[in-house]
Amino acid sequence: MSDRPNILLIMNDDMGYSDIGCYGGEVQTPNLDRLAAGGLRFTQFYNTARCCPTRASILTGLHPHQASVGHMTQDLDEDGYRGDLNTNCVTIAEVLKTAGYATYMSGKWHVTRHTDAGSPKHSWPRQRGFDRFFGIICGAANYWQPKTLTRENDAVDMDSLPEDFFLTDAISDQAVEYVNEHADQSEPFFLYTAYTAPHWPLHAHDDDIARYAGRFDAGWDQLREERLARMREIGLLDVSWPLTPRDPSQPPWHEVPDKAWQARRMEVYAAQIDRMDQGIGRILDALESNGQLDNTLIIFLADNGACAEEINFTNWVQTGTFLVGTTHTRDGRPVQFNNDPAVMPGAEDTYQSYGIPWANLSNTPFREYKHWVHEGGIATPLIVHWPTQIRAQGELRHLPGQLTDIMATCVEVAGAQYPERYNGNAIKALEGTTLTPIFDEKPNGKEALIWEHEGNCAVRRGNWKLVCKYPGDWELYDVVRNRTETDDVAAENPEVVAELSAIHEAWAERCGVKPWSQIREIMRSGNA
Ligand SMILES: [Ca+2]
């Protein structure tokens, strides 16, 4: 086996900053905690607020719009918004293949608008650098019968799957199989494992849910305080940063009428993450038994902050505008869609989300959620584990980083060359900055971090973060003094606002970001 490391990139879907155990949460994640204890936890790493843009950015080392996935997977008539990875970018798999890596993917793709089995597959995993693929091409999926389940380039027939098929387990099992199949190969591998958990719907196994029975009965107010205390003790947060207030749309816990249903929502969500962690444990076991655990760079993160969407889309299902999948279980029972307190979520015949109040807990101590670029939308855990190169164990790293840095890091540790041309096409310059200096607690020279999603914009440079919630005004925070964004100092610092907003404007121009009003009009008019 080569001295160059294997790379295992694990990303999950719609999880808050502080859900997992080693970031202060209630969810039992012994395997992620083990990686954290044997490696590093970044406290200020950022995704880009939503599934598709994040996946485009992490795969390519570019900002989402540069890869033509500035919004979701619709063609919105602008180059930055084609909903389909373009040919002026390369994926990590494409680059590492040129350096002799074997490349595998298990999980959710979600960077193409061509999702049907009969549609063009030029931007499917196998055509974008992966030797092997198993997973789903689209987003949000029923865990027992996911849409667009695909092996290599072919649709998987649900009838060919065992009765107890469950997507989280299938993603884990496939990753284990790749690791084991690769064991006698001489080249290193890149394995991208993209879980859909804990994205809605709230689907989990009874025995996993049972482990959390009563764990959330204290309610969101007390649990947010408890998390804050644990996070401060771990050192993730400066003790001077105040906890953000409870989401103003939500009642205090003591006034909540449907406490049993509310608690159950969070129990199922916790069980979804727990199940993923169990699978990660099996992948780590496979690496270990093949003697590959120490020389594998393992990176774990979430694709966006906790999701506050309250599911109520009966009409969408009926009109087919939002294809949540089949309306019946595999054995023919009708699925009860929507967040209905009369229906306890978790089973195959339910389809719910955990909603605003629990997303608010998931993102403790921050405010806002998936979609927005305040800290609750973009702050993610990032665990890095690589014993042969990273001697520090259980330490925290506070320097900031962004998704584009993952490509830069992979290119460096693999000894690969990021190309200027690929398949005859000019490739846009890499935007990321390698994280390896930060592994050794040294600055990596990153100048600014910049975001845009649905008109929500942010720039972070030095102590400052300029951020707006569309269509609102710029807010300015000193993130060293006030990372929880409770003290807006924009009015006192007009020159900083002017300087950072100019940086954002120039970046938007360079990366093909269009005004959200224009993009939204294209979506509304149906001219896409
Ligand atoms: Ca997501």
Side-chain angles (χ1 to χ4, degrees):
M1 182 67 75
S2 159
D3 286 343
R4 290 180 300 161
N6 307 303
I7 300 171
L8 169 58
L9 175 60
I10 307 173
M11 187 162 73
N12 77 333
D13 201 352
D14 285 20
M15 188 179 77
Y17 180 67
S18 55
D19 283 319
I20 59 178
C22 55
Y23 276 75
E26 301 82 9
V27 187
Q28 295 160 34
T29 51
N31 296 294
L32 288 172
D33 297 356
R34 171 187 168 197
L35 292 176
L40 303 172
R41 273 164 291 174
F42 281 57
T43 63
Q44 308 205 27
F45 199 82
Y46 295 99
N47 51 43
T48 187
R50 192 89 177 271
C51 302
C52 303
T54 278
R55 283 155 214 279
S57 187
I58 198 169
L59 278 165
T60 66
L62 303 178
H63 295 289
H65 316 73
Q66 295 176 294
S68 291
V69 189
H71 190 243
M72 299 297 277
T73 53
Q74 259 182 297
D75 186 349
L76 298 174
D77 207 28
E78 286 286 347
D79 284 346
Y81 302 81
R82 295 290 173 196
D84 195 37
L85 277 189
N86 62 38
T87 53
N88 300 112
C89 64
V90 280
T91 67
I92 297 174
E94 286 169 332
V95 177
L96 295 197
K97 266 190 82 63
T98 66
Y101 272 65
T103 54
Y104 305 98
M105 178 176 174
S106 177
K108 167 174 159 178
W109 183 240
H110 212 195
V111 286
T112 178
R113 65 179 189 271
H114 304 292
T115 58
D116 296 335
S119 61
K121 295 174 181 171
H122 56 270
S123 46
W124 284 26
R126 285 292 301 269
Q127 284 66 247
R128 293 307 308 245
F130 288 94
D131 299 330
R132 304 285 304 279
F133 171 70
F134 171 79
I136 59 172
I137 301 297
C138 67
N142 183 316
Y143 288 77
W144 278 285
Q145 40 180 343
K147 298 165 290 177
T148 69
L149 190 66
T150 301
R151 181 173 295 287
E152 314 308 349
N153 276 317
D154 301 319
V156 174
D157 179 3
M158 285 308 301
D159 293 336
S160 70
L161 298 172
E163 268 175 37
D164 62 351
F165 176 89
F166 190 76
L167 184 57
T168 303
D169 296 337
I171 290 170
S172 301
D173 292 345
Q174 185 63 63
V176 167
E177 206 173 306
Y178 288 146
V179 169
N180 287 333
E181 283 177 12
H182 190 86
D184 56 359
Q185 306 291 310
S186 58
E187 74 269 32
F189 66 79
F190 169 64
L191 168 54
Y192 175 38
T193 303
Y195 286 101
T196 63
H199 195 298
W200 50 256
L202 291 172
H203 281 168
H205 295 80
D206 289 340
D207 53 340
D208 292 326
I209 301 169
R211 271 207 297 288
Y212 295 92
R215 182 65 185 90
F216 302 101
D217 286 359
W220 42 72
D221 296 310
Q222 186 182 323
L223 291 165
R224 291 180 80 231
E225 294 283 354
E226 290 176 7
R227 275 200 193 191
L228 180 77
R230 284 193 299 268
M231 296 175 82
R232 285 175 170 172
E233 197 181 315
I234 295 168
L236 296 163
L237 308 175
D238 191 292
V239 291
S240 70
W241 299 339
L243 179 64
T244 53
R246 178 192 339 106
D247 189 297
S249 71
Q250 298 302 302
W253 179 251
H254 65 84
E255 290 177 10
V256 169
D258 306 301
K259 286 190 174 65
W261 175 75
Q262 288 284 11
R264 171 79 177 192
R265 293 206 289 175
M266 189 63 195
E267 290 166 14
V268 179
Y269 172 86
Q272 291 180 291
I273 298 172
D274 189 304
R275 193 77 173 192
M276 172 194 72
D277 187 78
Q278 296 169 39
I280 291 172
R282 294 203 298 280
I283 302 171
L284 300 184
D285 288 348
L287 287 169
E288 194 159 34
S289 61
N290 293 318
Q292 294 300 315
L293 186 58
D294 285 356
N295 197 32
T296 298
L297 166 60
I298 302 174
I299 300 171
F300 169 84
L301 77 166
D303 76 332
N304 48 253
C307 174
E309 293 159 6
E310 295 279 2
I311 290 187
N312 185 355
F313 49 35
T314 303
N315 292 336
W316 299 355
V317 174
Q318 286 169 348
T319 59
T321 55
F322 189 88
L323 297 172
V324 296
T326 179
T327 55
H328 287 73
T329 63
R330 287 181 72 188
D331 60 5
R333 290 168 290 139
V335 174
Q336 307 167 81
F337 288 94
N338 298 331
N339 290 351
D340 176 357
V343 177
M344 286 293 176
E348 190 181 352
D349 63 347
T350 66
Y351 202 108
Q352 301 194 21
S353 66
Y354 79 157
I356 298 168
W358 295 118
N360 198 188
L361 170 66
S362 280
N363 282 336
T364 301
F366 303 128
R367 63 188 178 95
E368 300 299 347
Y369 312 98
K370 173 181 179 180
H371 296 268
W372 293 283
V373 294
H374 286 72
E375 295 291 284
I378 56 175
T380 172
L382 181 89
I383 302 171
V384 179
H385 184 271
W386 186 16
T388 59
Q389 289 296 321
I390 300 175
R391 302 293 174 195
Q393 297 207 326
E395 294 185 6
L396 304 177
R397 292 291 181 264
H398 301 293
L399 284 162
Q402 196 171 9
L403 292 173
T404 53
D405 302 339
I406 302 296
M407 165 74 93
T409 306
C410 290
V411 166
E412 187 197 348
V413 305
Q417 190 73 40
Y418 182 87
E420 288 179 12
R421 298 189 70 80
Y422 186 84
N423 277 351
N425 300 306
I427 300 302
K428 290 172 192 171
L430 175 60
E431 296 281 342
T433 314
T434 181
L435 298 171
T436 56
I438 302 179
F439 297 170
D440 297 325
E441 221 161 8
K442 298 185 182 100
N444 67 341
K446 185 116 190 141
E447 199 160 310
L449 288 72
I450 311 183
W451 298 262
E452 190 279 340
H453 181 65
E454 297 183 332
N456 307 306
C457 301
V459 180
R460 181 178 157 151
R461 194 180 69 168
N463 290 9
W464 297 112
K465 180 179 173 188
L466 186 73
V467 57
C468 77
K469 183 175 181 179
Y470 183 88
D473 294 330
W474 287 116
E475 304 161 21
L476 182 69
Y477 300 98
D478 177 342
V479 289
V480 173
R481 199 178 55 75
N482 181 226
R483 193 183 169 204
T484 50
E485 299 172 316
T486 57
D487 183 16
D488 177 6
V489 293
E492 298 95 301
N493 297 278
E495 72 294 341
V496 179
V497 174
E499 194 184 347
L500 295 186
S501 60
I503 290 174
H504 196 280
E505 199 173 325
W507 172 86
E509 173 73 26
R510 181 171 70 77
C511 294
V513 178
K514 299 296 177 187
W516 180 238
S517 54
Q518 175 191 333
I519 296 300
R520 207 175 43 173
E521 194 47 46
I522 294 170
M523 293 171 76
R524 278 181 182 160
S525 67
N527 286 338

